[in-house]
Amino acid sequence: MTEVVYTQRQKISPFYRQLLAVSGVVLYMIGTGANIAFPGVLLQQLREPDTAVQLTEEHESWIASILGLCLISGILVAPFGLQRLGRRLTNQLSTLPAMGGWALLAVAKDPGVLLASRALQGFGMGVQAACAPVSIAEYSSPEHRGAFLATIAFSFATGMFTAHVFGTILYWRTAALACGSFYALSLILISLTPETPPFLASKGSYSECRRSFRWLRGNTDKSERELEVLLNSEQNKVVNTKADESKLKMYRKIIKKPEFYKPTFIMMFMFILFQISGMTVVPSYTVPMMNEVTGGSIKPYTSMLIVDAVRFATAIFACFITDKFGRRTVLFFGIIVTVVSLLITSLLLYLRDFGFIPNDYKWIPVIPTLMYIFGKTSGILPIPWAIAGEIFPLAYRSIGSGISGMFLSIMFFVVVKTAPTSFRSIGVSGTFCIYGIFTAVCGGFLYFLLPETKGKTLYEIECYFKGIGDNNGKVKSESVKMLEVENVEGG
């Protein structure tokens, strides 16, 4: 009775409470976008003759790519934090190495310190890469989950744009402090929100789960039904857990379950697609890339800010279309636009190199390049993060996010580290052609693997991967009812 009175006195709607809960994670991801994009301006400033830190080409490639290696260490730690410490505390702790990295970067006087600062940022990013989609999905109601998960894409784009603006108008040390401030704001907002209801339920804290759930969702009939399904499901799992089962035996069982290996396989392809489309290469090497694309007809910093502006505007657009249309529709729209744009850009650059395009029109490849930015930002950037937050069952959400995140970090390192060599050996035209082909291949696999998850509860998505749903991810109502009855009896 006390809990009901508590929720009835809420003066702020559930949407705004969910928005507050999500905003701390969003600010963190803005910092992540700044981490990825900062080499684009940092390396440009450090190439000046009177620079404070002298770098070789090898230093430059490591500064841009070391985030990918250190993401691995953060991702390895993340499942432990998510399972033992909870979503909220893991989010809070992940801000500390990120802030430390930016502070160290601001005072760096040699390449080693620069690399150490980037390593700290990468570790924090790794923890958050696993934690962010899980946290946002668990804080959100089904009707708002798509839009909130799409804010990850918006956050990346905002962070990239902000880092490039700061790096254009400020000295790189000052710009580093400005970018690091996002993590301080993130820590404050995360501290104002409760733990996620699914995590509390998984730990048997049912009273706290009810309070958190009703704080986030209110106490409508629909939300109360969803709350009871969540509680009954977790209570049933606790009853059926064998205390004497070894960890090794438990993990062997987990990897054989379709609700674990199918989502993990899908997310592997998702994150390979995310990186092979050039998602992190472009912001890291925007200036040299666009200098070749424009043929020197547009000033480097101007072209960089044009790319950032298109990415930022498209990320806002992506928030709306992800909320209005199905995940599959948005993803494959983005893939098609990306592949076509990359191949057209590659073809135009080849034609220009062989003299088939007059000098007065050497800027023409800029048009499909901007369409490429639009395509990958509208579909390939938001949907993998949206799916990552939805697709794993609660029991395996931490470990599943960690395994799929490993592919994200490995591909991050490989693609960003090899990009300078690729640009030198086969040019932007050849690199774009390779990215286009591999993006199409990944898209082909996902066309047959990925179900539709829009509008489904996290419980319904879990049921689908257990084999009780149709090809669009729509769970058979009688099967859900049957499972709910079983869960109630088991609880």
Side-chain angles (χ1 to χ4, degrees):
M1 183 66 181
T2 305
E3 292 167 357
V4 175
V5 172
Y6 170 76
T7 56
Q8 286 174 342
R9 288 178 179 174
Q10 288 184 355
K11 294 182 179 179
I12 303 174
S13 74
F15 171 79
Y16 290 110
R17 289 177 180 272
Q18 292 172 41
L19 182 62
L20 173 64
V22 167
S23 60
V25 181
V26 167
L27 278 169
Y28 194 109
M29 302 311 283
I30 290 176
T32 295
N35 288 345
I36 296 169
F38 200 69
V41 288
L42 172 66
L43 299 180
Q44 200 67 18
Q45 288 196 30
L46 293 181
R47 292 184 188 118
E48 298 295 327
D50 58 345
T51 180
V53 183
Q54 297 291 332
L55 299 178
T56 64
E57 286 187 1
E58 189 66 16
H59 286 144
E60 291 186 3
S61 68
W62 274 105
I63 286 171
S65 63
I66 197 172
L67 287 180
L69 276 184
C70 295
L71 271 167
I72 297 174
S73 59
I75 286 169
L76 288 173
V77 170
F80 170 83
L82 288 170
Q83 284 186 316
R84 299 293 180 86
L85 305 179
R87 297 13 172 175
R88 181 172 178 264
L89 184 54
T90 303
N91 277 318
Q92 289 172 315
L93 293 176
S94 69
T95 63
L96 303 181
M99 285 191 288
W102 281 108
L104 192 60
L105 194 150
V107 299
K109 294 183 179 179
D110 61 71
V113 178
L114 284 175
L115 286 170
S117 70
R118 298 284 289 168
L120 279 172
Q121 292 170 358
F123 175 78
M125 281 173 58
V127 176
Q128 193 64 13
C131 195
V134 170
S135 300
I136 292 176
E138 293 185 359
Y139 277 129
S140 310
S141 57
E143 58 267 27
H144 302 312
R145 193 174 64 234
F148 283 145
L149 285 167
T151 59
I152 295 178
F154 171 75
S155 303
F156 280 145
T158 303
M160 292 172 187
F161 182 66
T162 303
H164 285 166
V165 170
F166 284 161
T168 301
I169 63 177
L170 299 173
Y171 184 52
W172 62 271
R173 296 188 191 276
T174 309
L177 292 175
C179 291
S181 66
F182 287 111
Y183 292 105
L185 294 173
S186 171
L187 178 58
I188 293 169
L189 288 176
I190 291 168
S191 301
L192 295 176
T193 55
E195 181 56 84
T196 68
F199 174 77
L200 293 170
S202 71
K203 293 301 178 182
S205 303
Y206 303 125
S207 295
E208 290 180 48
C209 174
R210 287 189 175 92
R211 284 196 293 271
S212 176
F213 192 94
R214 288 167 179 162
W215 187 89
L216 289 161
R217 307 282 191 88
N219 61 336
T220 64
D221 290 341
K222 182 180 178 181
S223 65
E224 287 296 308
R225 285 195 298 271
E226 188 180 343
L227 172 59
E228 290 310 310
V229 169
L230 170 64
L231 292 173
N232 291 331
S233 175
E234 291 308 307
Q235 288 167 350
N236 189 48
K237 288 174 186 174
V238 171
V239 170
N240 291 327
T241 298
K242 294 181 180 179
D244 59 343
E245 188 174 54
S246 69
K247 288 279 186 182
L248 182 60
K249 193 173 182 181
M250 180 184 71
Y251 286 131
R252 282 177 179 171
K253 282 186 177 181
I254 288 173
I255 62 175
K256 293 178 182 179
K257 293 184 177 182
E259 63 268 33
F260 172 76
Y261 70 75
K262 287 182 179 179
T264 302
F265 197 56
I266 288 170
M267 286 312 306
M268 287 177 184
F269 275 102
M270 279 285 194
F271 283 138
I272 291 172
L273 171 71
F274 184 86
Q275 294 294 355
I276 205 65
S277 65
M279 193 64 67
T280 48
V281 168
V282 173
S284 298
Y285 302 108
T286 306
V287 172
M289 185 197 80
M290 289 305 293
N291 192 48
E292 183 169 340
V293 169
T294 63
S297 59
I298 302 175
K299 291 181 180 180
Y301 278 101
T302 302
S303 61
M304 178 183 70
L305 293 177
I306 290 172
V307 168
D308 287 337
V310 171
R311 186 191 294 115
F312 180 76
T314 307
I316 297 173
F317 170 71
C319 290
F320 289 101
I321 62 171
T322 303
D323 192 41
K324 297 293 182 184
F325 298 96
R327 310 285 188 260
R328 286 175 57 89
T329 302
V330 176
L331 177 66
F332 293 115
F333 167 78
I335 289 174
I336 291 169
V337 173
T338 298
V339 171
V340 171
S341 300
L342 281 170
L343 296 180
I344 290 176
T345 303
S346 179
L347 177 62
L348 289 175
L349 289 173
Y350 274 121
L351 292 175
R352 191 181 68 188
D353 291 343
F354 285 104
F356 290 101
I357 297 177
N359 283 336
D360 291 342
Y361 298 98
K362 62 183 180 181
W363 53 268
I364 283 181
V366 173
I367 297 173
T369 300
L370 295 180
M371 286 302 298
Y372 155 59
I373 301 298
F374 169 79
K376 72 186 181 74
T377 307
S378 62
I380 299 176
L381 177 56
I383 298 303
W385 297 102
I387 296 295
E390 299 174 324
I391 203 168
F392 290 108
L394 177 58
Y396 318 129
R397 203 162 286 161
S398 301
I399 186 172
S401 297
I403 292 173
S404 58
M406 289 290 289
F407 276 79
L408 173 70
S409 56
I410 292 168
M411 290 301 299
F412 184 117
F413 174 74
V414 170
V415 175
V416 176
K417 187 73 174 68
T418 58
T421 303
S422 180
F423 289 153
R424 284 195 301 269
S425 58
I426 59 177
V428 172
S429 55
T431 304
F432 274 18
C433 185
I434 290 172
Y435 288 173
I437 292 170
F438 278 102
T439 299
V441 171
C442 285
F445 279 104
L446 288 169
Y447 183 83
F448 295 102
L449 294 174
L450 181 66
E452 184 55 70
T453 59
K454 184 182 184 302
K456 312 297 184 297
T457 67
L458 299 179
Y459 180 66
E460 287 176 326
I461 296 169
E462 178 178 346
C463 288
Y464 167 76
F465 283 109
K466 287 179 177 177
I468 36 182
D470 60 28
N471 291 332
N472 294 318
K474 181 70 175 176
V475 179
K476 300 172 185 176
S477 58
E478 63 272 14
S479 299
V480 174
K481 288 176 182 177
M482 179 183 69
L483 285 174
E484 289 178 9
V485 170
E486 289 175 355
N487 288 334
V488 171
E489 291 173 349

